[in-house]
Structure formats: C-alpha cells, structure tokens
C-alpha cells in the first residue's frame, strides 16, 4: 500500500524543469483529422499536461468543429438553391385570359390562361393587349400554324399597331427589345427547363436564324461591305402552349403564364394531323445546303396542320 503524501505549500521544487524541446517553438502541421495529430505530436502525456497552452487547445477545437462548420455551410447553400427554385416554380397568376378554339369550324372548347404579371410583366402585358384587342388588333380569327409532339404554336399577327409603325420609322422594335431583356433575366434567374407542360410562352427570337450575309456594295463611289439579314425575327406575337416539358423552347420563348383550364382542348389541337417533316431526305439536305429557296418554303410547311385550328374568340376575364 502506498502511503498518503502530504501536500506541501507552493514549492518550486515540486514541478520539474520544462524540457528545452518544449520551450522552443515547434511547427505542428495542421492535420486533416484528429488521428493525424497523434502521429505528429511526440510529447509524453506528462509533458503535454505541463506545457499545454491555448494554441494547442485552439488547434484541437478547430479540428473537432471543422466538420460542423462545413456541414452548416453546405446546408445554407442547399437552402439558397431551394429558395431560388421555389421562386421559379411558384409563380402566381395575376390575370386571366380565355381563348375559344375551333377545328375546321367546329368548337372544341375554351382555354383559360393565367398570366404572370409580376414575374413577366412585359410578356404578360403584350399577351393581354393582343387578347383584349387593346393593341388595335387581336388573336381573333388567327390560326395555329405548327403542331409539334411537345407543343402547339400559334402564328400570331402580321402587325402590332403603334409598335410596328415605330419600328418602321426608327428601325427598331422597342417592345421586342423589352421581351428579349425579360427573357434573358429569366434565364439567369431560373436555370433549368422553364417551358414545362401547360406553360404558355411568347416566341421572342429565332435560334435557327442564320447569320447575316456579307455583300460588297458601291456607295458614294466607294466599295463597302454590307450585311444582309437572312429571314425575319419574330414580332413578339407568336405564342406556344406546351403539352409536355419542352426544353427546346427555352432558347427562344419567354414563359408568360400557364393553362388553368382547358388542357384537354390543347391536347385535341396536338392530335390534329400535320404535314410530315422531311428534313432527313437527301434531296432536301442538298437543296438546303446550296441555298435553294424551295427548301426554305418546304421547311416552313413542315408540321403544319391539315385542318384549320382557329381562335374564334378571345379576351380577358374578370
């Protein structure tokens, strides 16, 4: 049995002198995990207890808490992503519009569209003015010109009142510019597929439009290189209704609303027989390659419905 030792009052002889190896500043490499610290630190338990300092405790605390800091950072990033996706998918319809449809003169039903007045104000205002006739012209008696497996496309109108006159005088269309800017902001804010099943979108650009042709012209006695536009940009009146998720439309269409009622009418339009697409034909490929205008005309006719699909009446709902 060990005899009990008496505790002496503070005596400088109780603690042995600190080894010189401890008094010197040692560079402890920051280990990735706690087990690495055990291999790098070669001090005995007694020496470690005697020479313990705040820096070592701080090192241990950092290694222990680091996984929790990283976990909280990942959770915060996931919450931000969830918030962004929530803003993009939970758009609220602020206004309602209706489209009465007929196929070959027979009424097939009404489509009710909810417009995103807060998320796409320029696009919703354009669609509202065309549906109500406030622009001086409307979608009434205008046809659907293309039926694809994932969406149906309306041909829009040939002119757009004051905006068309302004474009002829100034050489630009301010309404189209606003729609394109809104489309660009939507692409940045909401990555991923935006033209989901049941959405309504306005076509604001043509992603398949070829670049302008360069030609040499004589002006004021000098030869200059001029650019000739090939094809025409959409005037911002054509719209599409997606029957299935259509990521191919994200490069050209601005989502302005969704179908609230009458999706079965949209499906009836999608079942109308169309002109068969023939882009895989070698004759068509050669004609398109050499710039034959007949190929361009034929391409415009692909996927056109054989029946007349018309908006007989349209307007805004209270």
């Amino acid at each position: 049995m060990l005899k009990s030792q008496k505790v002496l009052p503070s005596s400088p002889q109780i603690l042995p002198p600190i080894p010189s190896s401890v008094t010197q500043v040692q560079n402890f490499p920051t280990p990735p995990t706690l087990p690495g610290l055990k291999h790098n630190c070669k001090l005995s338990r007694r020496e470690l207890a005697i020479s313990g300092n705040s820096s070592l405790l701080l090192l241990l605390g950092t290694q222990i808490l680091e996984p929790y800091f990283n976990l909280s950072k990942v959770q915060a990033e996931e919450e931000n992503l969830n918030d962004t996706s929530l803003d993009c998918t939970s758009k609220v319809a602020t206004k309602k519009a209706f489209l009465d449809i007929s196929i070959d003169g027979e009424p097939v039903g009404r489509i009710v569209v909810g417009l995103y007045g807060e998320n796409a104000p320029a696009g919703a205002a354009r669609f509202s003015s065309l549906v109500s006739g406030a622009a001086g012209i409307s979608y009434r008696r205008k046809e659907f010109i293309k039926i694809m497996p994932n969406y149906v496309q309306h041909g829009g109108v040939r002119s757009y009142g004051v905006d068309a006159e302004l474009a002829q005088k100034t050489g630009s269309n301010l309404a189209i510019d606003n729609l394109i800017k809104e489309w660009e902001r939507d692409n940045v804010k909401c990555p991923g597929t935006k033209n989901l099943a049941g959405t309504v979108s306005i076509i604001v650009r043509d992603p398949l439009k070829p670049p302008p042709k360069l030609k040499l012209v004589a002006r004021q006695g000098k030869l200059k290189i001029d650019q000739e536009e090939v094809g025409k940009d959409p005037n911002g009146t054509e719209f599409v209704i997606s029957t299935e998720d259509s990521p191919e439309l994200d490069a050209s269409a601005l989502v302005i609303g969704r179908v609230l009622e009458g999706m079965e009418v949209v499906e009836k339009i999608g079942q109308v027989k169309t002109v068969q697409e023939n882009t895989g034909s070698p004759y068509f490929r050669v004609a398109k390659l050499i710039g034959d205008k007949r190929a361009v005309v034929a391409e415009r006719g692909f996927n056109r419905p054989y029946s007349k699909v018309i908006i007989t009446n349209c307007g805004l709902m209270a």
Side-chain angles (χ1 to χ4, degrees):
M1 297 292 294
L2 296 176
K3 296 181 179 180
S4 59
Q5 298 179 355
K6 294 183 179 181
V7 179
L8 299 177
S10 58
S11 175
Q13 299 301 326
I14 293 178
L15 299 177
I18 298 175
S20 59
S21 60
V22 179
T23 57
Q24 296 177 357
V25 178
Q26 297 186 5
N27 296 325
F28 290 93
T30 303
T33 57
L34 286 175
L37 181 63
K38 183 176 179 181
H39 295 290
N40 293 327
C41 184
K42 298 181 180 180
L43 297 177
S44 65
R45 294 182 178 179
R46 184 181 181 187
E47 291 173 338
L48 185 60
I50 296 172
S51 60
N53 51 51
S54 59
S55 61
L56 183 58
L57 294 176
L58 180 61
L59 176 63
L60 294 175
T62 303
Q63 293 297 324
I64 294 174
L65 296 177
E66 183 177 2
Y68 298 99
F69 289 141
N70 293 337
L71 181 61
S72 61
K73 186 184 296 184
V74 172
Q75 290 177 347
E77 292 177 355
E78 289 180 353
E79 289 178 359
N80 291 336
L81 290 176
N82 291 336
D83 292 342
T84 302
S85 60
L86 184 63
D87 294 340
C88 296
T89 56
S90 61
K91 297 178 180 179
V92 179
T94 58
K95 192 180 295 185
K96 291 183 181 180
F98 70 90
L99 306 170
D100 291 337
I101 308 298
S102 70
I103 299 177
D104 283 338
E106 299 213 357
V108 294
R110 168 174 289 189
I111 303 171
V112 178
V113 179
L115 300 176
Y116 301 145
E118 295 181 356
N119 299 93
R126 166 61 69 90
F127 192 84
S128 298
S129 61
L130 286 169
V131 166
S132 63
I137 193 169
S138 73
Y139 288 132
R140 196 174 289 109
R141 308 302 303 171
K142 304 297 188 301
E143 301 180 36
F144 283 85
I145 62 172
K146 185 180 290 187
I147 298 175
M148 303 295 289
N150 293 343
Y151 62 90
V152 295
Q153 178 178 341
H154 190 269
V157 297
R158 294 184 179 180
S159 61
Y160 187 62
V162 178
D163 282 336
E165 297 177 2
L166 182 62
Q168 292 178 356
K169 293 179 179 179
T170 63
S172 63
N173 193 328
L174 298 179
I176 285 295
D177 294 339
N178 292 335
L179 293 177
I180 292 177
K181 289 179 181 178
E182 197 166 78
W183 167 78
E184 291 174 347
R185 287 196 301 268
D186 192 43
N187 282 343
V188 173
K189 181 181 177 182
C190 300
T193 304
K194 287 165 282 296
N195 287 269
L196 304 175
T199 56
V200 181
S201 308
I202 288 182
I203 298 178
V204 298
R205 61 185 294 269
D206 182 8
L208 301 179
K209 181 182 177 181
K213 290 183 178 180
L214 300 179
K215 62 180 182 179
L216 197 63
V217 296
R219 291 178 181 172
Q220 299 178 352
K222 296 182 180 180
L223 293 177
K224 295 183 179 181
I225 298 178
D226 195 7
Q227 293 184 348
E228 182 182 5
E229 292 290 334
V230 180
K232 294 182 179 181
D233 290 322
N235 60 3
T237 64
E238 300 178 21
F239 68 91
V240 294
I241 304 177
S242 299
T243 54
E244 302 289 342
D245 291 354
S246 307
E248 65 272 18
L249 292 175
D250 291 341
S252 59
L254 168 67
V255 177
I256 61 167
R258 70 177 185 274
V259 175
L260 301 179
E261 300 175 17
M263 197 62 198
E264 68 280 0
V265 179
V266 181
E267 293 174 355
K268 287 181 182 179
I269 299 174
Q271 295 171 359
V272 174
K273 291 185 178 180
T274 61
V275 178
Q276 185 178 3
E277 187 173 340
N278 197 25
T279 54
S281 170
Y283 300 102
F284 175 82
R285 290 182 179 179
V286 173
K288 189 77 180 290
L289 185 63
I290 63 177
D292 193 334
K293 292 184 178 180
R294 289 174 294 180
V296 177
V297 174
E299 189 175 17
R300 291 175 183 171
F302 293 158
N303 301 303
R304 280 186 172 269
Y306 284 114
S307 303
K308 275 198 170 186
V309 184
I310 296 177
I311 297 177
T312 57
N313 193 19
C314 56
L316 295 176
M317 303 177 67

